[in-house]
Amino acid sequence: MPRQVFLYDPPDRFVAGTVGLPGRRTFFLQASSGPRVTSVSLEKTQVAALAERMDELLDEVVRRTGGNAPVPALASTEAADTAPLDVPVEEEFRVGTMALAWDGEEQRMIVEAQALVEVDAESEKDLAEAEERLLQDEENGPPMLRVRLSGAQARAFAKRALDVVNAGRPPCPLCSLPLDPEGHVCPRQNGYRRQA
């Protein structure tokens, strides 16, 4: 079956967002252009890693060009997108592999999110070879979301994505694990509660 590529070059909007309550949230990347909307689900850690790596790559572009690239040092507060995800949120696929690149000629950030694929392998070497074949197969690989962003769009995406990740449950001051509204058993207290 031919690979399905959801291409946005450039998107009107590219954001990370969630559906659900803290502690039970599902994370999504959502790209839109006109009436066309593509939503893919992924893990919270994937959103955080994507945002952090995107900021690092943009910082490197600024450093290597001596500040001449059209990349802002910080995300613009005027361009901040705080709106919720476009509804209905319909998952196209669950993200497995992500990739980032900077196109120096076009001055664009390229974000690729590829569907999660089960690979049967008997060894680590077989697994690595199978994953490499999947990544290189442009015609028959798993579905992929490919988004090309300006430097300003990429900075705004990274800021919002980190804000979304950090908007979850607050951490316990002792163990740093998330505090649940129903209660929290802290391993650092080992069942002991101090008297007031």
Side-chain angles (χ1 to χ4, degrees):
M1 183 170 94
R3 177 190 289 254
Q4 185 176 13
V5 177
F6 301 91
L7 177 64
Y8 290 85
D9 185 13
D12 294 338
R13 183 174 190 229
F14 181 57
V15 295
T18 62
V19 173
L21 298 173
R24 292 176 176 76
R25 299 184 296 171
T26 302
F27 287 78
F28 288 92
L29 296 180
Q30 190 176 75
S32 61
S33 186
R36 193 172 136 230
V37 177
T38 304
S39 302
V40 297
S41 67
L42 67 170
E43 296 295 325
K44 176 181 180 178
T45 55
Q46 289 175 298
V47 175
L50 178 62
E52 290 165 4
R53 299 304 179 269
M54 192 177 279
D55 263 341
E56 290 171 7
L57 182 55
L58 291 171
D59 290 344
E60 183 65 17
V61 168
V62 169
R63 188 187 68 74
R64 286 190 181 190
T65 62
N68 294 327
V71 176
L74 298 170
S76 167
T77 55
E78 296 86 42
D81 182 348
T82 57
L85 295 173
D86 294 331
V87 291
V89 178
E90 297 175 357
E91 176 185 321
E92 295 293 339
F93 58 85
R94 184 146 194 87
V95 174
T97 304
M98 296 185 296
L100 276 179
W102 178 259
D103 181 345
E105 287 183 23
E106 298 289 324
Q107 301 292 302
R108 295 272 185 237
M109 171 79 67
I110 302 166
V111 180
E112 291 182 349
Q114 184 171 281
L116 182 64
V117 176
E118 296 288 326
V119 177
D120 290 328
E122 294 179 16
S123 69
E124 288 292 322
K125 182 180 178 188
D126 291 345
L127 180 62
E129 289 173 0
E131 287 176 344
E132 188 62 31
R133 278 194 307 276
L134 279 173
L135 289 172
Q136 300 304 321
D137 191 354
E138 281 296 318
E139 293 181 15
N140 299 311
M144 176 188 294
L145 171 65
R146 181 177 291 147
V147 182
R148 296 174 59 86
L149 305 166
S150 68
Q153 285 176 311
R155 274 291 185 215
F157 170 86
K159 168 123 178 44
R160 176 187 165 125
L162 288 173
D163 289 346
V164 166
V165 166
N166 294 327
R169 298 171 288 170
C172 172
L174 297 175
C175 69
S176 298
L177 291 174
L179 292 171
D180 288 319
E182 299 87 33
H184 170 69
V185 177
C186 180
R188 297 264 323 263
Q189 287 185 338
N190 197 23
Y192 174 76
R193 294 196 188 274
R194 291 186 181 154
Q195 299 298 323

